[in-house]
Amino acid sequence: MSTAAIPGAPLPVRTPGSRARGRHRRPERPEIPAGSPALVLAVPATAGPESRSVVEELLSIVRSEQNGVQTAVGYLPGNAPESEDGHERTVAELLAQAAEAGVPAPILVPLVTGPHGFLTELHALAAEYGAHVTDVLGPHPLLAEAVHVRLSEAGLARADRARLFAIATAADGVVLTTVGGEDAAAAAGITGVLLAARLAVPVVPAALDVPGSVAAAVAHLKETGSQRPALAPLVIGPEADSELLAAAAEETGCPSAAPLGAYPAVGQLIAATYLAALPAPSPEALAAQAQAAAEAAEAAQAAEETAGE
């Protein structure tokens, strides 16, 4: 299949996956129906070296999870230089190109973990072209896992609760920082509960873009007995100004873990969110899939019988 489902966008060739055989094979991933809308990862940032590296790695994870999915990245309008292949596009450009080509409007997956000002503009743009915007990626247990791993990488938490050795620098309280105002902080509270269950320490959410929010959360932890609070960003990266993260650590004097970045679970969430938004297949398509599966099973059985003779 051609990669030109969205002209000018770097979409991969659709290739059939090879099915493992034997009773110990891993469960098969759901097939992407032919003609399905492309996945556009909507990035709340302009194209640049930092955002580019994160989103490209995330889409690589998505394609490894679902090798039949067509993907592209849509950025905010800006003056950032194009990539070497000249394929970086804004969300609006990708939607317009899909409309001109007469292909299904892509499914837009916003690269944010919770409420964000970017979503209002994204929904308005999607409505103009009849595109679907999925839910944000959080709250979700996989995000709590990703934050836990970033804390452990920074020496601020045990890698898992089964290991009982002590870490002298481990935090005894965590401020889960996000962007998107008080609404985002409130939504992050659910992931915070999941994180607290993993770490067995109190977790308080705060908004990096609300003045005094992070400092107040740190003060609350100290008032309730925490002596070594730490900051844990519940941000992927492109949606948050790096200066906000640095300023919060400097203002509070607390160590901070790194943003989630291209942690594998984030890519898995993107793939799962896209799959959940795909239109339900028609009865005719389901019948055709069942027939194809039956024919493939018969062919495989015949091949095994021939090999055993």
Side-chain angles (χ1 to χ4, degrees):
M1 182 174 180
S2 170
T3 60
I6 297 180
L11 303 180
V13 175
R14 187 190 301 279
T15 55
S18 58
R19 296 187 177 183
R21 296 179 180 177
R23 64 178 184 174
H24 297 299
R25 66 181 183 272
R26 64 182 294 180
E28 294 176 3
R29 300 184 178 97
E31 295 289 338
I32 305 295
S36 291
L39 184 164
V40 167
L41 192 59
V43 182
T46 56
E50 293 184 3
S51 59
R52 184 182 303 133
S53 63
V54 171
V55 298
E56 287 179 353
E57 191 169 348
L58 284 173
L59 284 187
S60 177
I61 296 169
V62 171
R63 289 191 288 267
S64 70
E65 288 290 312
Q66 294 292 334
N67 62 6
V69 66
Q70 296 179 334
T71 61
V73 180
Y75 294 93
L76 288 178
N79 298 320
E82 289 189 343
S83 59
E84 293 180 359
D85 57 11
H87 284 313
E88 287 179 348
R89 299 288 185 270
T90 65
V91 175
E93 287 172 338
L94 289 174
L95 291 173
Q97 289 167 358
E100 288 178 9
V103 299
I107 292 174
L108 307 178
V109 181
L111 191 62
V112 291
T113 60
H116 194 283
F118 161 71
L119 295 173
T120 300
E121 177 186 350
L122 186 64
H123 278 279
L125 191 58
E128 182 180 346
Y129 288 93
H132 176 73
V133 180
T134 70
D135 292 335
V136 295
L137 301 180
H140 198 280
L142 286 177
L143 292 178
E145 171 195 316
V147 175
H148 185 175
V149 170
R150 293 297 186 233
L151 283 166
S152 66
E153 290 173 346
L156 299 171
R158 294 181 178 87
D160 60 66
R161 292 185 62 185
R163 301 177 184 176
L164 300 180
F165 59 83
I167 300 179
T169 58
D172 58 1
V174 172
V175 176
L176 194 62
T177 60
T178 187
V179 292
E182 296 294 353
D183 289 343
I190 300 175
T191 302
V193 170
L194 299 171
L195 181 63
R198 298 178 65 97
L199 300 177
V201 302
V203 176
V204 179
L208 288 162
D209 50 351
V210 174
S213 178
V214 177
V218 170
H220 173 74
L221 285 174
K222 290 182 176 180
E223 289 169 1
T224 55
S226 294
Q227 298 180 347
R228 298 183 305 280
L231 310 183
L234 183 61
V235 297
I236 297 166
E239 77 275 34
D241 190 334
S242 59
E243 293 183 0
L244 285 176
L245 296 168
E250 183 178 355
E251 178 187 10
T252 60
C254 295
S256 177
L260 304 183
Y263 184 71
V266 178
Q268 294 166 11
L269 269 177
I270 294 169
T273 302
Y274 166 78
L275 288 174
L278 283 176
S282 65
E284 294 78 9
L286 289 173
Q289 290 176 11
Q291 179 64 27
E295 293 174 355
E298 290 177 2
Q301 183 177 0
E304 291 178 358
E305 291 174 352
T306 302
E309 293 178 356

